[in-house]
Amino acid sequence: KKKKLNYGIYRSGLQSLKHGAITAIGLSVLYGIILYVCTGRYESIVRALEIGGGVGVIAFLWFGGFEVIQHWTLRLMLFLYGILPLRIGEWLKCMHQVNFLQRDGSRLQFQHETLKDYLSSLIPENNRLSDTPFNFVRKKRALLAVISVLLIIIGSIGIYRPINERFYGNKFWTNRDRLLISGEKATYVTVTNNSVRVLKSGIVDLSVSGKVVVGTFVGKIGPEGTYSGFLGFPVNNAYNLVRDFRHGALLYRRLNREKTWHYAVRGDVFYWPWQERHGAFAVVAGDVIEFMVNDNERENDSGTYNLQIQIKEQKRLTNNDRPPQTIPND
């Protein structure tokens, strides 16, 4: 049976994709079931999908993905240096049709050994590459060197920045939450960086965007918080300021008349990564609303929650507006 050109590398690519997909799907399903049985929470399934996807990429690279990348990188370099055309398959077919090459199983070889040895011994005069698609490869090596150095610098900065921020505290929190509160200034006044005093009664319509990195193992989360920690297993209450609440969740309380914390946004619904979170709760004029991120180790945190506050006329809250464990106390 005749083999098509590039049959081997295409087969390697398909095999690597197959092993990567099987690994990702199988591990995600199996690990998701284990986590869901242990925790009973849907977000454990999301964490299992993330872990399964990461392991699937490793499986893809291990079972032939590296070879596929190396193959196409080599073909690209040979094309840039003018040694072979980019669509080498079409070129080889053309050479075979004019009997310059002959088929040997899945390979093509020169008709005459003498011709092959002669062509192999040829060295371009002064290593000249005048017919390359990018003739400046040789003439502008300095430019390519500068580009290479810039890419190395950019990559180094990407590695250096998180290490610098982690150990020197450039962006990580110290003793306060990183919250940016905005809204209609006529409806509230700022008391501290994480609290405001409302000037009229009504319903606080809260919109929250942004994400926060809460430690190395939990990673980046939204204001709804998470119960999933390392490898998807529950976060220990020792890391929470408020026990049994979602880790890293944005909480609020009316400081002047209660000590109980409540979720600022709903955490029992699915959010797309780019989706803005919303919550609503009742206030009266003079209430001091204090916000807090539920994390006991703020020196490991970075990022910001952006809060947009609007106070609307009093109405009856629906289940879609009221975050779970919110107590109006009005």
Side-chain angles (χ1 to χ4, degrees):
K1 181 181 179 179
K2 292 184 178 181
K3 305 288 187 180
K4 293 182 179 180
L5 293 175
N6 294 319
Y7 173 81
I9 196 63
Y10 281 123
R11 184 173 176 80
S12 295
L14 291 175
Q15 288 294 323
S16 59
L17 286 173
K18 182 179 73 173
H19 283 89
I22 292 175
T23 302
I25 296 173
L27 182 61
S28 297
V29 172
L30 180 61
Y31 198 56
I33 292 174
I34 294 174
L35 288 180
Y36 188 76
V37 170
C38 294
T39 64
R41 303 184 187 281
Y42 79 91
E43 61 192 39
S44 298
I45 300 177
V46 176
R47 185 58 62 90
L49 291 174
E50 295 174 353
I51 296 172
V55 177
V57 171
I58 297 175
F60 162 77
L61 296 174
W62 183 262
F63 291 102
F66 279 121
E67 287 73 14
V68 173
I69 294 173
Q70 290 172 353
H71 172 87
W72 288 104
T73 302
L74 175 61
R75 286 180 59 166
L76 179 62
M77 295 304 299
L78 292 175
F79 166 70
L80 292 178
Y81 277 91
I83 299 174
L84 288 174
L86 184 61
R87 299 182 63 183
I88 188 174
E90 297 297 326
W91 180 77
L92 290 174
K93 287 181 182 178
C94 181
M95 294 298 101
H96 179 254
Q97 290 172 356
V98 298
N99 293 324
F100 194 74
L101 300 173
Q102 66 179 358
R103 185 180 294 276
D104 181 16
S106 61
R107 300 179 299 173
L108 289 173
Q109 63 181 17
F110 288 99
Q111 286 275 19
H112 304 286
E113 290 292 328
T114 304
L115 177 61
K116 181 187 71 173
D117 295 338
Y118 171 73
L119 294 175
S120 300
S121 65
L122 290 179
I123 301 177
E125 182 181 356
N126 297 325
N127 205 20
R128 185 162 48 88
L129 303 173
S130 58
D131 296 329
T132 61
F134 297 98
N135 191 29
F136 60 83
V137 168
R138 175 178 174 81
K139 296 181 179 180
K140 297 187 178 180
R141 286 183 177 176
L143 176 61
L144 295 177
V146 171
I147 294 175
S148 301
V149 171
L150 289 176
L151 291 175
I152 293 173
I153 292 175
I154 293 173
S156 301
I157 292 175
I159 298 174
Y160 170 76
R161 283 187 61 188
I163 296 176
N164 178 67
E165 292 173 356
R166 174 66 181 86
F167 291 101
Y168 293 94
N170 292 340
K171 289 188 177 180
F172 285 73
W173 300 350
T174 52
N175 59 350
R176 64 179 186 175
D177 301 306
R178 288 289 298 273
L179 304 174
L180 296 179
I181 303 175
S182 61
E184 300 176 5
K185 295 300 182 181
T187 59
Y188 73 91
V189 293
T190 301
V191 178
T192 65
N193 71 296
N194 64 331
S195 62
V196 297
R197 177 180 287 108
V198 297
L199 302 179
K200 68 176 185 178
S201 301
I203 300 296
V204 173
D205 184 8
L206 185 65
S207 301
V208 187
S209 60
K211 290 184 177 294
V212 166
V213 178
V214 284
T216 304
F217 298 109
V218 177
K220 185 178 293 186
I221 61 173
E224 70 277 6
T226 181
Y227 286 113
S228 298
F230 180 63
L231 294 179
F233 287 96
V235 179
N236 193 295
N237 267 319
Y239 298 102
N240 293 329
L241 289 170
V242 182
R243 294 179 59 86
D244 300 325
F245 273 50
R246 292 172 176 267
H247 185 64
L250 178 65
L251 309 179
Y252 82 93
R253 65 179 178 182
R254 282 151 290 203
L255 186 61
N256 57 307
R257 55 193 177 97
E258 65 177 352
K259 295 183 179 180
T260 305
W261 289 97
H262 315 288
Y263 287 118
V265 300
R266 293 180 59 86
D268 57 346
V269 295
F270 176 78
Y271 294 105
W272 294 105
W274 58 85
Q275 188 177 359
E276 195 174 55
R277 280 64 163 165
H278 293 276
F281 51 90
V283 294
V284 297
D287 277 350
V288 176
I289 309 172
E290 181 182 11
F291 296 97
M292 178 186 71
V293 176
N294 190 29
D295 187 10
N296 199 28
E297 291 188 345
R298 303 184 183 183
E299 65 274 9
N300 297 327
D301 299 347
S302 64
T304 304
Y305 288 149
N306 302 298
L307 284 65
Q308 179 74 24
I309 296 177
Q310 291 184 345
I311 300 181
K312 300 181 178 180
E313 294 183 0
Q314 185 79 29
K315 67 175 184 178
R316 183 178 179 83
L317 293 178
T318 66
N319 289 333
N320 291 329
D321 294 328
R322 184 183 295 114
Q325 301 190 33
T326 298
I327 306 173
N329 286 341
D330 293 324

